[in-house]
Amino acid sequence: MAFSYQTAFDARTDLKKYNENSLALFALQLRFQIEDIDTVAASSLTGGRGDKKCDLIYVDKEAGYIIVIQAYMAQVPTNKQTAPSNKASDLNTAAAWLFNSSLEELPEGIRSAAGEVRSSLEANQIRFVQFWYVHNLPESKNVKDELQIVEQTVNNVLQTQFKNSEVENVSTLELGQKTLDEWYRALEAPILVTDKLNIPISGGYKISGNDWESFVTAIPITWLYEVFQNYSDNLFSANVRGYLGSRKSDNNINNGIKSTAKDEPNNFWAFNNGITALVSEFNFKDAEANQSQEERSADTLEISGISIVNGAQTTGALGSLDTSPDGTGYVQARFVKCNNISTIRKIIEYNNRQNVVEASDFRSNDSIQRRLRQEFDNIPDTTYYGGRRGGPEDVIRRPPNLLSSDTVAQALAAFHQDPVIAYNNKSDIWRVDTIYSKYFTEQTSARHIVFVYSLLRSVEAKKLQLLNKSKAGPLSKEESQQLDFLQRRGAHFLLSSAIANCLETFLDKPVPNAFRVYFGKQVSPEQAENFWEPIVEVTIPFCKQLLPAVKKSLNSNDDAKEAISDFKAVVESIKNYHGERFQAFANCVNIRS
């Protein structure tokens, strides 16, 4: 059987450098529609032989997710029927080390990640914990059974070690050929649930446009409960995000939805905005008109296929009730049929405009981002959307030389001496006016963005080089120290800040305004990364000066500033030993007047 995801994955030459972890990163990108997977990889990949069965640990405090991945790739998938189940059971080991062991006992490869995981749980920043087994073979019952044990283990550990955390869901996933293909097709084709379904209704009306038709009605909340029980997240295949869960607090919207369904079902229609769903076909069946009111059966809306594009929180909240709500509640619903893929994309986009899909969306049309997009048109080998997301097509087929809006913002923050914000608050860079205006000003140019972005990329490349070398054989003592540092959470942003702080030392002259620094009018990000590489090589041996700021993840501005100051002092002390290298770098740098 041919799988569509395999063709897309094979075409992702940008992932090949991650070797056996490439499929895990591909899966993570499909699930969360991550635009820049390289920066995620720099933070999330663990350390080779010392990973304690955790190949990747992804922490997204803004979305409330922890994802722990064990990866396996068969070299010749056709020769094997299923993935080895012992790899799935290894996730039990991962859970034990990640949540239970003393941090001092943990190998360097996952110590920093474990610290961030625990601090995030203790700070109630996590709602979902998932353990994934990603492989390129068919799914199997043996693996599923092993993962159920892992799920029980993780639940028990969290209930014991993190009693006050607000984790709402612990789950395990086997991501083999079938599931990966479903995720891929969910980005390609919006409707995954293709069954025929009947909905009891009381009338409704049709409305249509040039290339779409819709039926508008009210549907029982009991029907939504049942359909979520049957199809779960597949109901949201066309939605930009699935159900986000609920917490027992007065200001949590989803908890409010559940309370209304249980306590005031008669008012649900009035209190809730309703849902919009894409369908392949709909057919309204009127009850017999000649029947008496007492005898009359309900009208029926028959639909083929469904994907809820707006109302995932309503559907998920109802579907996650302990028991089915009573039959008195209704919710507004629009069922839209459309065959024009361009119109479908707009339906999905505009039906989610009231939600914060990405913080950067709010800035994409301001004058600065419009100007930057125009400036990038003159820089070779770059794609910059300026706050806009490229959409599903760019997630599964990443444009070459894409400068992700989030990574650009993080690189600017790190370069301009805010590494803590770069690592912990990337959405705030776009959302908070005072932070946004620090980095995106009239002085910010596309050429300067290339300058700062390529520094971050060069640091990330150094980590990957050391990581791959460690898997091939033992590192030298100095290389081991460097890899230990780079595996700390936030380390690549801190090192970028520290190197940027030494710019006057490299150039041997004052730099009164760092926003005016650039490499050249026609320098691509790839060329710029090559210019930074010798500087990274010279300075990374002094990373031990930065270690205090990332020992417990990068979360203190004062610690970061003190560490950067110590780093700069050491770099200045070796200036005379690397005069030629610094001069070669300085010859590539321009300062705009």
Side-chain angles (χ1 to χ4, degrees), residues 224-225 227-229 232 235-236 243 257 268 272 274-275 308 310-321:
L224 269 184
Y225 171 85
V227 80
F228 183 82
Q229 292 290 309
S232 190
L235 277 177
F236 313 128
Y243 175 53
I257 293 170
F268 198 92
N272 187 270
I275 69 165
I308 295 171
N310 185 261
Q313 309 318 308
T314 293
T315 307
L318 291 172
S320 59
L321 289 167

Side-chain angles (χ1 to χ4, degrees), residues 417-421 424 494 497 545-551 553-567:
Q417 304 307 293
D418 283 321
V420 175
I421 285 177
N424 294 293
L494 181 62
S497 287
Q545 307 297 326
L546 303 173
L547 198 56
V550 288
K551 277 195 171 179
S553 189
L554 181 61
N555 52 29
S556 167
N557 286 312
D558 291 339
D559 289 349
K561 287 179 181 178
E562 183 177 350
I564 288 171
S565 177
D566 292 342
F567 180 91

Side-chain angles (χ1 to χ4, degrees), residues 505-507 530-541 574-589:
T505 302
F506 304 142
L507 302 182
N530 291 334
F531 293 156
W532 278 114
E533 182 182 358
I535 298 298
V536 173
E537 288 292 337
V538 167
T539 56
I540 196 170
I574 54 94
K575 176 180 177 180
N576 293 333
Y577 295 99
H578 295 283
E580 290 185 8
R581 188 171 294 192
F582 290 173
Q583 185 59 52
F585 174 77
N587 291 339
C588 301
V589 177

Side-chain angles (χ1 to χ4, degrees), residues 473-532:
L475 298 175
S476 68
K477 182 179 179 180
E478 186 178 70
E479 289 173 329
S480 295
Q481 291 174 342
Q482 294 169 16
L483 182 56
D484 171 38
F485 167 75
L486 289 171
Q487 286 175 331
R488 308 276 178 161
R489 295 296 165 120
H492 51 303
F493 292 114
L494 181 62
L495 182 56
S496 294
S497 287
I499 292 174
N501 196 252
C502 300
L503 193 58
E504 291 185 344
T505 302
F506 304 142
L507 302 182
D508 197 26
K509 61 181 176 183
V511 181
N513 187 341
F515 279 95
R516 298 185 181 277
V517 181
Y518 66 100
F519 280 126
K521 294 181 179 180
Q522 294 294 312
V523 174
S524 70
E526 186 177 357
Q527 290 174 293
E529 189 177 326
N530 291 334
F531 293 156
W532 278 114

Side-chain angles (χ1 to χ4, degrees), residues 74-127:
Q75 296 304 308
V76 186
T78 54
N79 290 350
K80 294 189 176 184
Q81 294 300 311
T82 60
S85 58
N86 66 298
K87 283 279 189 178
S89 63
D90 282 346
L91 287 169
N92 272 309
T93 304
W97 280 99
L98 199 56
F99 298 122
N100 264 342
S101 300
S102 165
L103 287 178
E104 288 70 26
E105 295 176 6
L106 286 172
E108 296 170 351
I110 66 166
R111 187 182 303 147
S112 180
E116 184 176 42
V117 163
R118 296 177 194 187
S119 63
S120 301
L121 287 165
E122 289 165 355
N124 289 329
Q125 296 171 308
I126 302 301
R127 287 175 288 168

Side-chain angles (χ1 to χ4, degrees), residues 325-387:
D326 70 30
T328 62
Y330 285 83
V331 63
Q332 303 177 73
R334 299 187 301 165
F335 297 92
V336 183
K337 177 178 71 173
C338 179
N339 293 320
N340 185 322
I341 191 65
S342 176
T343 303
I344 288 173
R345 293 297 182 200
K346 289 179 181 178
I347 290 170
I348 295 167
E349 177 184 358
Y350 297 142
N351 269 276
N352 286 280
R353 275 290 171 87
Q354 72 272 26
N355 296 323
V356 183
V357 176
E358 287 291 335
S360 57
D361 289 345
F362 293 109
R363 306 288 183 178
S364 61
N365 286 319
D366 75 14
S367 60
I368 292 170
Q369 296 302 328
R370 289 200 301 269
R371 172 179 58 79
L372 288 173
R373 286 194 291 270
Q374 290 176 347
E375 290 181 11
F376 269 106
D377 287 341
N378 298 316
I379 293 179
D381 302 322
T382 58
T383 301
Y384 178 69
Y385 294 131

Side-chain angles (χ1 to χ4, degrees), residues 193 195-201 217-231 235 275 277-279 300-308 315 318-319 324-335:
V193 176
D195 294 343
K196 284 188 177 181
L197 303 168
N198 291 314
I199 312 171
I201 61 173
T217 185
I219 64 175
I221 58 176
T222 52
W223 185 85
L224 269 184
Y225 171 85
E226 290 164 2
V227 80
F228 183 82
Q229 292 290 309
N230 289 333
Y231 299 106
L235 277 177
I275 69 165
L278 286 173
V279 296
T300 302
L301 184 67
E302 182 184 87
I303 62 172
S304 294
I306 182 171
S307 180
I308 295 171
T315 307
L318 291 172
S324 176
D326 70 30
T328 62
Y330 285 83
V331 63
Q332 303 177 73
R334 299 187 301 165
F335 297 92

